[in-house]
Amino acid sequence: MKYISTRGGSPGVTSAEAIRLGIAPDGGLFTPQTIPHYAEADLKKLLPLSYQELATEIIGSFLTDYQKAALQKMIAAAYRSPQKFAHPQVAPVVQLSGAQYILELWHGPTCAFKDVALQLLPHLMQEGNRLTASETETVILVATSGDTGKAALEGFCDIPGTKIIVFFPDQGVSQIQRLQMVTQEGANTAVVSVRGNFDDAQNGVKQLFTDPELIQNLKINGRAFSSANSINWGRLVPQIVYYFFGYFELCRKEIIQFGAPINVTVPTGNFGNILAAYLAKQMSLPIKKLICASNANNVLADFINTGIYDRNRNFYTTISPSMDILISSNLERLLYYLSGNNTAQITRWMHDLKSGGRYEIDEAMKKRIRNSFYGGSASETETMATIKKTFESTGQALDPHTAVGVTVYERYRSETGDETPTLFAATASPFKFNASVIEAISGKEAVSGLDEFQLLERLQKLTGMEIPPSLAGLKEKPVRHQTVCAKEEMKPVVENLLKLK
Ligand SMILES: *Cc1c(COP(=O)(O)O)cnc(C)c1O
């Protein structure tokens, strides 16, 4: 299977090459020329598989140049339990209420869903280097709104042949997220705080990726950049697996019969996680509606409802920081699929987005998007109210990102009366965003004066849930990374870290 660029400017490459490069040379995103499709009988054969077996099947259907035995080995290493994933099922399904079920994606080492992909990606890259006979050292550059950075650091830590540099916005991550990153171990890791917001960090990293001087200097040193953000196909494809697994769990629990439709709700930022659900739907998984939930940064909700993507608006720092994004990179892939692979049109839209911050799709595409997606946004007050209400009625503590999803879903359900069983992507452990969760449930006084570790204990008492050991253990870890820079200084910082100058 060949991978091509959404902007049409690069010849077909293998999946190993697409994963190694991260982003296509013309600035577009790699996507397979065709999306695998399961006939009903073949889909049914996947039903009894364990998470790891299912991952081997689904990932193998996309990464056709990887040997099955090699994939099995990498998947076994990435999803080991309890070493890597606290739960043996990797992504267990838990009832919320009625026919509403939560797909818990946060049992990995950093307590957010990004572990599912980022525990595997370094192995896929290492093997990709081998398959393409590349001797180059891979330098991973990451811009993070909090969760990607830590999950990538954990995944790449001490993986031979790789270095990783993570930039996070100094005002845009939670205390726990910051602590997780600045205490990161590993001889090949670096963490830098940028004065600005996530889009500043992301734009800075995008510029570094295409800076001719930097690329040339790296090349002389036997190195090349790659990306661990969800623009990398190797990040996306492991995420498709858990939607299949969640669906099959609902079948096994006899909530639905095999073949019956479900809805899927995803709290969305860069449009990676929900795009994985859309791909599962394209592959034949019976998904009726994809509910795309935004926080106050509602650029995606507006896009789904109007067909106009317009990033010219206020940027808000919210209690769901991993969704504080105004440019959703992976939307480019959806546009590619829905425009019938119209690469010239995508190139124009992406140009318009860069120059004027805005583009508008045509009526036919608007219709196609609304066929598959429902878009909505949740305010901070609504999100807090959902956490409280859910806790009081079900005993479950939702993290603020997951609560954005539940809030938007409730609106969808009351607007449409659609009672189709629904799976909610639970993207982070409530412990990772403890202060917001406790405040939502018990009020502002309950958090005042408490440090991060007292907050963890408080949430444990409140919910009876166990504190994830990786978070409790942060207390003992020394700070190893203290670099702070302005957004204009990211290039010299990288040159310095890589000793290029
Ligand atoms: C990254 C993240 C999101 C957003 O996912 P995208 O793939 O960027 O849409 C939502 N919730 C949490 C907790 C995250 O870490």
Side-chain angles (χ1 to χ4, degrees):
M1 185 185 281
K2 287 285 181 214
Y3 283 71
I4 50 175
S5 166
T6 47
R7 300 192 195 173
S10 93
V13 299
T14 61
S15 65
E17 194 77 35
I19 290 171
R20 194 167 68 82
L21 294 172
I23 188 163
D26 64 353
L29 307 189
F30 282 118
T31 182
Q33 250 167 345
T34 50
I35 293 169
H37 189 270
Y38 290 101
E40 193 174 306
D42 292 330
L43 188 65
K44 202 159 191 175
K45 284 190 203 136
L46 302 180
L47 198 151
L49 301 189
S50 72
Y51 193 92
Q52 287 80 351
E53 291 166 339
L54 186 62
T56 309
E57 285 303 318
I58 306 253
I59 297 172
S61 73
F62 283 100
L63 310 188
T64 47
D65 45 328
Y66 287 69
Q67 297 284 331
K68 189 166 176 185
L71 275 179
Q72 269 168 339
K73 216 167 133 189
M74 292 186 272
I75 285 165
Y79 302 136
R80 267 202 314 272
S81 181
Q83 296 89 337
K84 297 289 187 184
F85 281 76
H87 199 289
Q89 279 189 311
V90 181
V93 169
V94 173
Q95 186 182 32
L96 185 62
S97 70
Q100 298 165 23
Y101 282 76
I102 290 195
L103 179 62
E104 289 185 346
L105 301 174
W106 44 261
H107 291 280
T110 77
C111 306
F113 85 92
K114 293 186 174 76
D115 288 324
V116 181
L118 281 163
Q119 281 299 313
L120 186 60
L121 180 68
H123 298 286
L124 295 175
M125 276 190 179
Q126 216 185 4
E127 178 68 5
N129 274 338
R130 205 185 62 77
L131 289 172
T132 54
S134 164
E135 301 280 320
T136 24
E137 181 181 65
T138 305
V139 179
I140 304 292
L141 290 184
V142 180
T144 184
S145 52
D147 291 331
T148 304
K150 178 59 183 178
L153 287 162
E154 274 298 313
F156 282 95
C157 174
D158 290 331
I159 294 271
T162 69
K163 272 203 164 54
I164 173 164
I165 305 174
V166 169
F167 292 94
F168 72 87
D170 64 348
Q171 294 307 318
V173 300
S174 79
Q175 251 326 91
I176 282 276
Q177 287 176 317
R178 173 186 300 270
L179 269 178
Q180 281 184 308
M181 288 190 278
V182 298
T183 58
Q184 178 66 43
E185 288 155 5
N188 64 339
T189 63
V191 177
V192 180
S193 155
V194 181
R195 287 186 216 102
N197 63 36
F198 171 68
D199 284 317
D200 294 326
Q202 173 155 275
N203 285 331
V205 163
K206 276 188 183 159
Q207 272 169 28
L208 295 175
F209 272 127
T210 52
D211 185 306
E213 186 197 19
L214 204 50
I215 291 171
Q216 188 54 27
N217 279 344
L218 276 178
K219 204 168 172 183
I220 295 167
N221 276 270
R223 296 170 174 159
F225 283 139
S226 189
S227 161
N229 281 89
S230 56
I231 53 175
N232 191 317
W233 185 258
R235 252 296 289 282
L236 218 51
V237 74
Q239 296 180 181
I240 299 171
V241 178
Y242 48 67
Y243 292 108
F244 280 85
F245 187 76
Y247 182 85
F248 294 145
E249 272 293 287
L250 291 179
C251 296
R252 285 190 281 264
K253 289 178 190 288
E254 297 180 356
I255 310 307
I256 54 168
Q257 281 194 329
F258 178 81
I262 61 165
N263 292 325
V264 172
T265 299
V266 186
T268 309
N270 231 344
F271 209 76
N273 203 8
I274 196 162
L275 185 72
Y278 174 79
L279 288 164
K281 180 172 157 78
Q282 296 315 104
M283 294 169 77
S284 79
L285 195 70
I287 295 175
K288 182 177 169 191
K289 260 311 191 246
L290 292 154
I291 293 143
C292 175
S294 307
N295 64 21
N297 297 294
N298 56 358
V299 65
L300 277 170
D302 285 355
F303 173 70
I304 290 168
N305 291 312
T306 66
I308 299 169
Y309 196 96
D310 190 353
R311 66 147 299 172
N312 302 303
R313 60 182 71 209
N314 284 335
F315 176 88
Y316 300 102
T317 298
T318 73
I319 54 169
S320 45
S322 300
M323 298 157 65
D324 290 347
I325 290 172
L326 291 181
I327 298 183
S328 299
S329 309
N330 264 300
L331 194 60
E332 182 167 343
R333 285 191 172 106
L334 182 72
L335 297 175
Y336 175 84
Y337 307 135
L338 291 178
S339 68
N341 310 355
N342 190 342
T343 54
Q345 182 65 71
I346 309 287
T347 309
R348 278 194 295 276
W349 284 329
M350 291 305 120
H351 176 266
D352 293 348
L353 181 62
K354 196 163 182 187
S355 57
R358 181 183 189 280
Y359 62 85
E360 178 168 5
I361 57 174
D362 58 44
E363 286 305 321
M365 265 179 80
K366 285 182 199 174
K367 229 169 145 180
R368 261 173 256 148
I369 287 191
R370 281 199 297 265
N371 264 336
S372 292
F373 293 89
Y374 172 88
S377 73
S379 71
E380 298 286 89
T381 322
E382 288 174 314
T383 305
M384 294 289 267
T386 296
I387 295 173
K388 184 179 174 70
K389 196 175 120 225
T390 306
F391 183 71
E392 285 170 354
S393 61
T394 70
Q396 296 214 46
L398 303 175
D399 100 279
H401 304 77
T402 309
V404 166
V406 172
T407 307
V408 171
Y409 168 79
E410 297 286 353
R411 193 175 314 140
Y412 166 78
R413 192 169 157 214
S414 71
E415 274 177 19
T416 59
D418 182 3
E419 295 290 328
T420 304
T422 296
L423 203 54
F424 294 89
T427 52
S429 156
F431 285 99
K432 202 161 185 182
F433 300 93
N434 49 39
S436 304
V437 177
I438 298 168
E439 186 180 330
I441 295 171
S442 308
K444 226 179 174 69
E445 321 73 58
V447 295
S448 78
L450 301 187
D451 71 21
E452 279 304 315
F453 301 98
Q454 291 166 322
L455 288 168
L456 288 174
E457 280 165 23
R458 182 105 197 192
L459 190 57
Q460 178 187 35
K461 285 217 183 77
L462 194 60
T463 61
M465 290 166 80
E466 202 185 316
I467 303 175
S470 62
L471 299 185
L474 285 174
K475 201 171 186 168
E476 275 70 49
K477 290 205 166 174
V479 171
R480 292 189 66 237
H481 307 274
Q482 306 194 355
T483 311
V484 184
C485 78
K487 60 183 180 189
E488 299 79 14
E489 295 168 339
M490 289 166 65
K491 182 174 171 182
V493 163
V494 167
E495 289 170 333
N496 193 26
L497 285 168
L498 297 176
K499 304 194 173 60
L500 294 175
K501 282 228 161 123

